[in-house]
Amino acid sequence: YGKVVLRETSGFQEEPSADVLLILDFDASGNLESISLNRNISEVKDKLLYKKVRAAKRCNASSPTFYLNLKEPEKSVNSCLKGIFSHLKKFADSPILEPSDYTQVLSKLKAYLSQVSFSKKERILLTVRFDGKFPAEIPALKSAFIKAIASDAGFSKKELVEGTCSLCREKKLVSGKKSPLACYTLDKIGYISGFSEKFHFRGFPLCYECYTLLEAAKNLVFKHTYTIS
């Protein structure tokens, strides 16, 4: 099922649930040129490299698309936008485009928001576009995103061990740090074989490829509402 889903998606990125998309348009040098609004997010959803966040956080450190803090836009720029690109650069194989002046971005964003109005119920996403290209259309940025998400999921080189993947049953580098399934957790020592997190690979070891497939399939299933009859 995951293999079918991945033919039409960008792997770890998820479909956002929002009413409005604000786009920060930068030139090839990272200078902010304009800000635009898009209410038809379905047209560009596969280009955003969006990843959900847990709990009350507004932005995922690896995702260049996140929910705007309308009351405190400085948090969206100084904490989220700036922090995201700082984080992604750690996983980039080549230089990635980023805003050249965050102070200018905040100033122009505040000016723009003062001229538009949103209803209290509207969910607003903020994303970037460099030289007319959305995040997923920029190879270096997309590559950094995928590697950052993989690291967040416990697939950094220092956490991988030789083992047998629980899904494909092949012997390869695996990790049992996390699972796309919420029922699997290592937050209590008694849940871990050997009573130590260093034995994470004994629980539900997955290779990177199978983790991606399981994540994609889970995201598609959770998009729908089901009833038990």
Side-chain angles (χ1 to χ4, degrees), residues 106-144:
L106 178 58
S107 176
K108 289 190 175 183
L109 179 60
K110 284 184 174 181
Y112 179 86
L113 293 176
S114 68
Q115 298 174 13
V116 296
S117 60
F118 303 100
S119 71
K120 293 182 179 180
K121 294 183 179 180
E122 283 187 311
R123 296 158 296 177
I124 307 166
L125 274 179
L126 184 70
T127 194
V128 296
R129 191 161 55 186
F130 290 94
D131 201 20
K133 297 179 180 179
F134 283 101
E137 298 175 308
I138 305 172
L141 187 56
K142 183 177 180 180
S143 174

Side-chain angles (χ1 to χ4, degrees), residues 67-202:
Y67 286 97
L68 173 68
N69 187 330
L70 194 57
K71 293 183 178 180
E72 298 177 282
E74 58 273 7
K75 289 186 176 180
S76 293
V77 175
N78 296 330
S79 297
C80 289
L81 189 63
K82 189 175 182 178
I84 287 166
F85 277 93
S86 177
H87 182 65
L88 288 174
K89 284 191 290 186
K90 300 175 184 177
F91 299 91
D93 294 325
S94 58
I96 60 174
L97 293 170
E98 68 170 319
S100 61
D101 188 339
Y102 290 97
T103 301
Q104 180 199 53
V105 172
L106 178 58
S107 176
K108 289 190 175 183
L109 179 60
K110 284 184 174 181
Y112 179 86
L113 293 176
S114 68
Q115 298 174 13
V116 296
S117 60
F118 303 100
S119 71
K120 293 182 179 180
K121 294 183 179 180
E122 283 187 311
R123 296 158 296 177
I124 307 166
L125 274 179
L126 184 70
T127 194
V128 296
R129 191 161 55 186
F130 290 94
D131 201 20
K133 297 179 180 179
F134 283 101
E137 298 175 308
I138 305 172
L141 187 56
K142 183 177 180 180
S143 174
F145 166 80
I146 293 174
K147 290 182 179 179
I149 292 298
S151 178
D152 294 343
F155 286 90
S156 62
K157 289 183 179 181
K158 64 180 180 180
E159 294 174 318
L160 293 172
V161 297
E162 289 283 351
T164 301
C165 176
S166 297
L167 292 186
C168 67
R169 307 304 299 169
E170 294 183 14
K171 289 188 176 181
K172 53 175 67 174
L173 291 175
V174 299
S175 173
K177 283 276 187 177
K178 293 183 182 180
S179 163
L181 307 178
C183 59
Y184 178 73
T185 175
L186 300 180
D187 63 341
K188 293 181 177 59
I189 197 68
Y191 295 167
I192 310 172
S193 177
F195 299 99
S196 173
E197 194 169 328
K198 69 180 181 180
F199 296 120
H200 61 86
F201 57 91
R202 294 180 179 176

